[in-house]
Amino acid sequence: MTFSDLGLRAELLRAVEAQGYTTPTPIQLKAIPAVLKGGDLLASAQTGTGKTAGFTLPMLQRLADGPRPAKRQVRALVLTPTRELAAQVGESVADYGRHLTLRSHVIFGGVGQQPQVDAIRAGLDVLVATPGRLLDLHQQKHVDLSKVEILVLDEADRMLDMGFIHDIKKILRVLPEKRQNLLFSATFSNEIQALAGKLLDDPAMIEVARRNTTAELVDQAIYRVDREKKRDLLAHLITEHDWQQVLVFTRTKHGANRLAEQLSKQDIPSMAIHGNKSQSARTKALAAFKTGDLQVLVATDIAARGLDINELPHVVNFELPNVAEDYVHRIGRTGRAGSEGQAVSLVCVDEHGLLKGIERLIKRDLEKRIEPGFEPDPNAKPEPIENGRGKRSGGGGRNGGQGQRRQGQAAGQRSGGDEARAPRRRRGGRSGSRQA
Ligand code: AMP
């Protein structure tokens, strides 16, 4: 099966060819015909499956057939949880639509609104937006959403995790009743099902296998180590093995900052990205990391979500995530596009429960290693896990049953708090740091 068999027009096929894609991915095989038909869609797919092209290509085709938008009007609205994901989807729209004459733009918080207002003024075929900034601009009457023909909610589960449900509901209220709705989500919690039930009309359902659940392309290992020795062990592993491009996950923004500073002091060039960083700082860090100028990028889960960094050789869990499924998301960063990757987790005595939850979810035991010189103290006592608000919660280490998404979400909201709270904290301001 090729892209042309799916019924895409020549302009789109040329753009796909220019990207170097020869065969549609499983989600594209199913989503493209379903979206072209004009019906609603509920798709279970995460980053790395080719989902963006799966909705963008047929969306562009449908838009290319219709009349141009009037002033300030938007014909297709794509909502994403983070600025990075919005930027990436916007790039895909521009890439795939390069031979069409459609107008598209990306808007998100944390940057000046005037260029966004200027871009919307003439009307847009596609607007990719994070919910907060979109609502701001709508309240100021800079954008007219009453003629939206297609609505896409990308990574809907993450939008709910981040507290965007009220913003989404407000947006839904100003959309026209008759429209095509596409909902993408990596997981199907009760909340997502409730949203899908309200939003979607007799949707086509698509489910594609999660990448890396079996993680055949990722070499995974656990290093047992004392809490206080993690940083030295990480510096040691990076230097000893000459790891050149390392994505490191921490649980909190403060932890990310601290670790990036400390590694830099040890002559390992490192930067942190998370919701408190300005957009330009994040873009700069990501660009330097992609080109190889920056050796280590330290990120929180939410900041890293949706980043398309191809063929990343090393992912390190400096701390295990509170939600077992985030482990799968994290290590999904390695071994992409058929290349081998290595995922290393530094696990101290506090995290044994979290580790059990992860092993249960991925249905395998992970190899445990001890690095000479970093042997853990056999008598170390577990401490409650820091929850990102300067407090320590007793739940994480003992729970162990984090494989359940609903349970995990609750833990994520509580324990991953400094990121998860970002949308709520911003209520007072108009723009600023709206999206994590
Ligand atoms: P996504 O899941 O949309 O984030 O896409 C993940 C990566 O797969 C991106 O780097 C895309 O450029 C790439 N990609 C998407 N579709 C294909 C395809 N049919 N063949 C090869 N690569 C693809």
Side-chain angles (χ1 to χ4, degrees):
M1 186 69 105
T2 63
F3 280 99
S4 57
D5 297 331
L6 295 174
L8 292 173
R9 53 197 292 160
E11 294 92 332
L12 293 169
L13 293 175
R14 269 165 65 204
V16 164
E17 202 179 325
Q19 294 292 313
Y21 308 163
T22 50
T23 323
T25 65
I27 186 132
Q28 290 163 358
L29 278 177
K30 294 178 184 166
I32 292 173
V35 178
L36 285 178
K37 266 196 226 152
D40 285 359
L41 176 69
L42 176 60
S44 151
Q46 63 186 70
T47 302
T49 53
K51 69 182 165 72
T52 316
F55 67 76
T56 305
L57 290 168
M59 175 178 82
L60 292 174
Q61 173 139 334
R62 283 177 58 72
L63 293 171
D65 291 335
R68 297 280 77 80
K71 272 194 168 181
R72 282 188 279 277
Q73 283 181 355
V74 171
R75 299 180 61 210
L77 174 64
V78 183
L79 292 179
T80 73
T82 64
R83 304 165 188 179
E84 282 79 9
L85 187 60
Q88 277 171 20
V89 172
E91 261 171 45
S92 297
V93 170
D95 284 342
Y96 304 144
R98 63 162 74 155
H99 302 301
L100 298 169
T101 51
L102 300 172
R103 280 171 44 80
S104 67
H105 198 70
V106 181
I107 64 168
F108 42 69
V111 294
Q113 75 166 37
Q114 198 51 45
Q116 302 178 347
V117 171
D118 294 341
I120 298 169
R121 189 169 296 124
L124 289 172
D125 293 286
V126 183
L127 176 61
V128 185
T130 50
R133 175 57 64 97
L134 177 67
L135 270 181
D136 280 344
L137 296 188
H138 185 264
Q139 275 154 11
Q140 298 170 62
K141 305 216 174 346
H142 290 305
V143 59
D144 175 356
L145 298 175
S146 68
K147 293 289 186 295
V148 168
E149 298 159 42
I150 304 174
L151 170 71
V152 182
L153 296 186
D154 194 10
E155 303 203 352
D157 50 346
R158 194 51 63 141
M159 282 199 267
L160 299 192
D161 281 357
M162 290 172 70
F164 282 131
I165 186 66
H166 298 296
D167 286 352
I168 291 172
K169 281 184 178 161
K170 278 189 205 156
I171 293 165
L172 292 179
R173 265 184 243 131
V174 299
L175 298 181
E177 202 136 291
K178 194 173 158 315
R179 55 171 202 266
Q180 182 176 23
N181 300 292
L182 317 176
L183 190 152
F184 288 78
S185 181
T187 55
F188 282 113
S189 62
N190 289 353
E191 289 90 339
I192 287 289
Q193 287 175 32
L195 181 67
K198 250 187 260 154
L199 189 71
L200 305 176
D201 178 20
D202 191 19
M205 314 266 266
I206 295 179
E207 201 166 343
V208 292
R210 227 166 220 287
R211 276 175 60 94
N212 286 323
T213 17
T214 52
E216 65 285 358
L217 285 170
V218 183
D219 170 29
Q220 302 170 66
I222 302 294
Y223 281 87
R224 292 213 183 274
V225 62
D226 287 334
R227 190 183 309 117
E228 300 76 17
K229 299 244 182 79
K230 280 189 176 186
R231 178 171 38 98
D232 287 339
L233 174 59
L234 177 59
H236 166 84
L237 290 172
I238 290 173
T239 321
E240 185 79 10
H241 300 287
D242 196 23
W243 291 346
Q244 282 306 321
Q245 200 182 29
V246 194
L247 179 62
V248 180
F249 285 94
T250 60
R251 212 178 281 128
T252 69
K253 292 187 276 203
H254 304 299
N257 280 341
R258 220 167 28 226
L259 185 61
E261 271 168 31
Q262 289 162 339
L263 290 174
S264 296
K265 274 189 200 143
Q266 289 174 269
D267 288 332
I268 301 173
S270 309
M271 281 172 103
I273 65 166
H274 52 65
N276 281 3
K277 292 270 175 183
S278 72
Q279 186 56 34
S280 66
R282 291 202 229 180
T283 309
K284 215 171 108 204
L286 187 61
F289 186 62
K290 279 188 172 182
T291 57
D293 292 338
L294 183 68
Q295 197 173 357
V296 178
L297 191 64
V298 188
T300 54
D301 286 294
I302 288 177
R305 174 89 176 185
L307 292 184
D308 184 29
I309 309 168
N310 282 323
E311 303 180 25
L312 196 55
H314 302 285
V315 165
V316 175
N317 295 307
F318 188 74
E319 290 143 338
L320 289 180
N322 290 311
V323 179
E325 280 163 349
D326 281 341
Y327 175 84
V328 180
H329 288 306
R330 288 178 177 189
I331 70 163
R333 307 271 152 209
T334 68
R336 283 187 158 198
S339 66
E340 283 214 11
Q342 192 179 32
V344 158
S345 303
L346 311 188
V347 175
C348 72
V349 65
D350 310 340
E351 299 169 298
H352 288 176
L354 294 176
L355 179 59
K356 279 209 193 89
I358 288 165
E359 290 182 327
R360 203 172 307 148
L361 178 73
I362 64 173
K363 299 192 173 64
R364 60 185 268 197
D365 284 337
L366 294 168
E367 183 197 329
K368 317 286 183 309
R369 295 180 193 163
I370 289 176
E371 184 72 4
F374 295 89
E375 292 81 2
D377 174 1
N379 301 316
K381 296 269 176 301
E383 281 184 14
I385 287 170
E386 195 174 350
N387 69 7
R389 300 183 201 178
K391 288 184 197 151
R392 288 178 175 266
S393 86
R398 280 191 297 272
N399 183 346
Q402 303 282 334
Q404 298 267 330
R405 183 68 189 174
R406 272 169 57 70
Q407 229 179 15
Q409 272 178 338
Q413 274 166 4
R414 191 179 59 241
S415 308
D418 63 345
E419 283 277 280
R421 281 186 314 163
R424 262 162 249 141
R425 200 194 299 135
R426 62 182 158 69
R427 284 288 163 217
R430 268 228 207 103
S431 51
S433 56
R434 280 224 147 192
Q435 277 75 39

